[in-house]
Amino acid sequence: MNHVNHINNIAELITELNDRRIEALKARDKPAETAYSYFLSIVKKAEKDGGQYQEALNALKKEEKALQELQSFARTQEEKNHTEFELYILSKYLPKMMTEDEIKVQVLHLGQELHPISAKDKGKFMKEIMMRLKGKADGKIVNKCVNDYFNEIFNN
């Protein structure tokens, strides 16, 4: 999958999605044209609502979750393929999420920085790590890594 790394603001994202929509239209690729049009409308709505690039990405992430849920309830192979195709397109425009190993490294670094002295520090620790990893990591995986870290240092 080739991630679109050069996009840094909402205007560039709108231009990129519209360009891909037009390419799909010219190629008579109706599924791609429909997907790009839909994602473009999500981003334009975020912009209209006063949002910036991060808000547009958040709206696209929300759509990704909805598509993943839709895919899990798909009744036919055609429905599964359709949502998989849309998820593939969408994934090009979302930041790559961190792996569990990458999150563990960040948790260890924060542990060295904050030096938690008891299990009571977990709330403050969690707040800080979530702030640092917002939009980069799945919160459930972060929570698991933080729990593992605290269990390791305070239950041994």
Side-chain angles (χ1 to χ4, degrees):
M1 170 188 349
N2 53 345
H3 181 72
V4 182
N5 291 320
H6 65 279
I7 297 175
N8 297 314
N9 62 55
I10 199 163
E12 290 175 359
L13 182 56
I14 288 171
T15 300
E16 171 68 24
L17 288 168
N18 195 47
D19 288 350
R20 297 298 77 76
R21 182 188 67 80
I22 291 168
E23 283 177 10
L25 190 62
K26 288 178 180 176
R28 299 187 195 285
D29 183 348
K30 186 68 175 163
E33 192 267 331
T34 301
Y36 282 112
S37 291
Y38 181 59
F39 300 142
L40 181 60
S41 72
I42 291 171
V43 173
K44 283 184 173 181
K45 182 181 181 323
E47 181 188 45
K48 182 179 170 224
D49 292 344
Q52 296 299 315
Y53 183 60
Q54 190 57 50
E55 286 79 12
L57 287 179
N58 291 342
L60 290 175
K61 285 179 194 171
K62 195 173 183 181
E63 183 58 28
E64 178 185 41
K65 286 185 181 182
L67 283 169
Q68 288 168 340
E69 190 171 315
L70 187 63
Q71 187 176 37
S72 69
F73 290 112
R75 290 178 289 188
T76 66
Q77 189 60 44
E78 185 179 342
E79 288 175 350
K80 287 180 183 176
N81 291 346
H82 180 74
T83 53
E84 190 174 312
F85 176 70
E86 288 182 336
L87 284 165
Y88 170 76
I89 289 174
L90 188 54
S91 69
K92 295 179 192 180
Y93 299 95
L94 295 174
K96 180 184 162 289
M97 297 303 272
M98 295 174 73
T99 65
E100 187 170 340
D101 288 339
E102 291 169 327
I103 295 168
K104 284 178 182 177
V105 169
Q106 294 303 309
V107 167
L108 288 173
H109 284 296
L110 185 60
Q112 291 171 343
E113 193 178 310
L114 295 181
H115 303 291
I117 56 172
S118 77
K120 293 177 184 176
D121 294 330
K122 190 155 99 175
K124 184 171 74 172
F125 191 97
M126 191 67 182
K127 183 178 177 183
E128 180 64 30
I129 196 80
M130 287 306 291
M131 227 171 49
R132 292 182 185 194
L133 301 183
K134 183 176 179 159
K136 299 176 189 172
D138 182 311
K140 290 177 187 173
I141 300 173
V142 174
N143 189 41
K144 178 193 176 302
C145 292
V146 169
N147 284 333
D148 291 349
Y149 174 75
F150 271 78
N151 287 336
E152 173 120 355
I153 63 173
F154 292 115
N155 291 337
N156 283 338

